[in-house]
Amino acid sequence: SNGIFIGDFCLSNKTYVSPLSDFNQKDVIGVVAYFDGENNPVIISLEEVRLPWLTNSSMNNKVCSNIDSDKKTDDLNGKKHTYDIAASKDYDPDKFKAVAYCTNYQTKGTKKGDWYLGAIGECIKVAQNMGIINASMLYAECGETIKMNWMWSSSEVTWNGNSYAWNCYLDNGNC
């Protein structure tokens, strides 16, 4: 992984540092949560925000993705799902608060559109590596540890004729 490891920090200039190294904490924008299929580091924000995925209980079968249970661990398309939802005719940022937050999120060195709501497979990977991620943040006193017991994904599933978002329980990776 080019000397980059899960739990390393991503700086605003898109370089990576170990939590054991000397670095300016003000430059940290995220932490490496896992590696994608091409061995590129995937970072998550240091901010943890609790927002509703959708203010209604479902989208009434207006679905952008339909990820079946047997495919959820393979779904690493969070950026596509997030921006498909934001581009859909049913999108309203006041209703899709989590998607709106992610598409507008920016940090030093990033702009709107650089961040996204992870797909269910990405959330599972965060759950699998949460111990390392939290240990890095605690050791370096950089950011807050992941505290939520579950996280929304940008992945949807159709159930009983309606579309719902997948969520992942971070303590055990169940969805």
Side-chain angles (χ1 to χ4, degrees):
S1 62
N2 299 326
I4 303 168
F5 300 95
I6 293 169
D8 283 355
F9 294 112
C10 179
L11 304 180
S12 59
N13 65 2
K14 307 297 189 305
T15 60
Y16 296 87
V17 295
S18 163
L20 304 174
S21 63
D22 185 28
F23 58 93
N24 184 346
Q25 291 180 333
K26 293 179 183 177
D27 291 332
V28 176
I29 61 169
V31 60
V32 176
Y34 67 94
F35 292 89
D36 68 14
E38 297 174 1
N39 213 26
N40 297 309
V42 177
I43 65 167
I44 59 172
S45 166
L46 298 179
E47 287 188 42
E48 186 174 65
V49 178
R50 176 70 61 160
L51 292 168
W53 187 84
L54 181 63
T55 55
N56 314 13
S57 61
S58 84
M59 287 178 57
N60 300 320
N61 206 30
K62 295 174 181 146
V63 64
C64 291
S65 65
N66 189 15
I67 307 303
D68 292 327
S69 182
D70 60 338
K71 302 285 186 198
K72 65 183 181 284
T73 56
D74 298 328
D75 183 19
L76 306 176
N77 296 311
K79 189 164 193 166
K80 179 184 182 325
H81 297 332
T82 300
Y83 290 96
D84 283 351
I85 293 166
S88 72
K89 64 181 175 61
D90 299 308
Y91 178 71
D92 177 346
D94 291 329
K95 292 181 182 176
F96 290 87
K97 293 186 182 285
V99 169
Y101 183 85
C102 293
T103 59
N104 288 307
Y105 185 74
Q106 49 190 327
T107 63
K108 180 179 177 183
T110 67
K111 60 188 181 319
K112 290 180 183 181
D114 287 345
W115 296 88
Y116 60 92
L117 185 60
I120 191 60
E122 293 170 310
C123 295
I124 293 167
K125 288 181 178 292
V126 170
Q128 291 168 340
N129 295 323
M130 192 170 78
I132 297 168
I133 294 165
N134 281 345
S136 291
M137 291 194 284
L138 281 170
Y139 179 82
E141 297 178 353
C142 194
E144 293 188 28
T145 58
I146 300 170
K147 293 181 181 67
M148 284 193 260
N149 60 347
W150 59 273
M151 109 187 326
W152 285 121
S153 80
S154 57
S155 306
E156 300 161 284
V157 62
T158 301
W159 180 66
N160 285 343
N162 290 313
S163 172
Y164 297 91
W166 277 104
N167 66 0
C168 178
Y169 291 89
L170 297 174
D171 58 345
N172 59 19
N174 289 337
C175 306

